[in-house]
Amino acid sequence: MIRLFVPDDLTAGRPVALSAAQSHYLRDVMRRSAGDDVVLFNGRDGEWLSTIAATGRRAAEVTPRERTRPQTHGADLELVVALVKRARLETIVEKATELGVRRIRLATTRFTQAERTNVGRLSAIAVEAAEQTGRLDVPEIAGPARLDAILDTWPPDRRLIFCDEAGDAPPMLEVIAPTTSAMAASILIGPEGGFAPDERAKIRALRSVIPVSLGPRILRADTAAIAALSLWQAALGDWRP
Ligand code: SAM
């Protein structure tokens, strides 16, 4: 079943006009027409079985019929990732969405190669991944912001799981398993060039930081993000039995 994310409020019987891109996708790519079913969600009102009312030349119109799932939100899990090359960053956004993060915060650090990025494109990638994975919401994408500024305003009740390839951190599972999933958590992944020594010192000085190792090999930033999020979901998140 085709799932589409829409910004509109969803209530039974009130038609929703789709975007030009979504209308083209339904009509010309998926060859759907009036009377066919699709599923809509907006991150607030749950998931709705809906019927295509019209697919005319302009915006297609879809009418929600029945709510099939109430709105839920996953754990307050966030990924803080230093900007890396475009293709790798897009992979990180797609995989982090599939792995259930609630927010992706983009950070610039001493060794980040890029200072800017196309956040609109990253949001579109997150929407597509959310549509395909059955999520009921789309992660927020925040930033880019300087790592320094992020650390200066770090909320004390938010755990920061610092993926540190320096080699002196304990294995991630060993340190996170005993903690609770109730606490909001963020996973920090550095740039291709790693963190500068003073950045590492500032991160490790945070009271709620948990430095962790992802094993003896230096992983690419995208691999590290996927590995850390998978471990978190298995140990504390929605992969648990
Ligand atoms: N500084 C490294 C180097 O020597 O080139 C590379 C950094 S790595 C490509 C990017 C980020 O992935 C790191 O900053 C860290 O956050 C994470 N990472 C990679 N391998 C890791 C490991 N074995 N343990 C913990 N974190 C790791």
Side-chain angles (χ1 to χ4, degrees), residues 80-84 109 112 162-163 165 188-195 221:
V80 181
V81 60
L83 292 186
V84 290
T109 68
T112 34
F162 170 31
C163 295
E165 76 280 11
L188 174 60
I189 300 287
E192 292 309 339
F195 292 105

Side-chain angles (χ1 to χ4, degrees), residues 163-165 189-195 212-215 217-219 221 224:
C163 295
D164 191 349
E165 76 280 11
I189 300 287
E192 292 309 339
F195 292 105
V212 302
S213 167
L214 297 171
R217 289 168 296 282
I218 302 283
L219 310 174

